[in-house]
């Protein structure tokens, strides 16, 4: 076993340590009439993204803004809501 065997793993760890982590957000679609999140198979629709504005515009495409709203929450590094 040579150092070349471990080089890709070491490079991946070094790269993740050197690059800053972009903030992550949870974007939900909310029904304005009830205040509840939109459900798909009894699960709330929540998308995790680093571009919340783009994700929100995609969720609202072809939807009535009088009925639907977007709720954005910032996530910590472990994915929990802050």
């Amino acid at each position: 076993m040579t150092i070349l065997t471990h080089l890709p793993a070491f490079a991946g760890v070094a790269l993740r340590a050197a690059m800053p982590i972009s903030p992550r957000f949870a974007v939900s679609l909310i029904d304005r009439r009830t205040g509840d999140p939109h459900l798909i198979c009894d699960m709330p629709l929540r998308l995790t993204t680093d571009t919340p504005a783009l994700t929100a515009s995609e969720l609202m495409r072809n939807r009535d803004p009088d009925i639907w709203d977007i709720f954005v929450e910032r996530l910590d590094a472990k994915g929990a809501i802050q």
Side-chain angles (χ1 to χ4, degrees):
M1 187 174 299
T2 67
I3 189 68
L4 293 177
T5 307
H6 300 288
L7 190 57
F10 175 74
V13 170
L15 185 62
R16 284 191 299 275
M19 294 182 62
I21 298 173
S22 62
R24 306 289 294 170
F25 300 90
V27 180
S28 301
L29 188 62
I30 305 295
D31 187 340
R32 287 179 181 255
R33 298 168 294 190
T34 63
D36 294 330
H38 180 59
L39 301 177
I40 298 176
C41 295
D42 291 332
M43 297 285 296
L45 175 64
R46 179 177 288 163
L47 302 174
T48 305
T49 181
D50 59 350
T51 55
L54 179 62
T55 303
S57 67
E58 288 293 319
L59 279 174
M60 288 300 291
R61 186 173 30 143
N62 298 327
R63 295 189 193 270
D64 185 357
D66 292 333
I67 298 173
W68 297 103
D69 197 11
I70 297 294
F71 184 65
V72 179
E73 299 170 287
R74 188 181 173 108
L75 303 175
D76 66 8
K78 294 183 180 179
I81 296 172
Q82 289 183 338

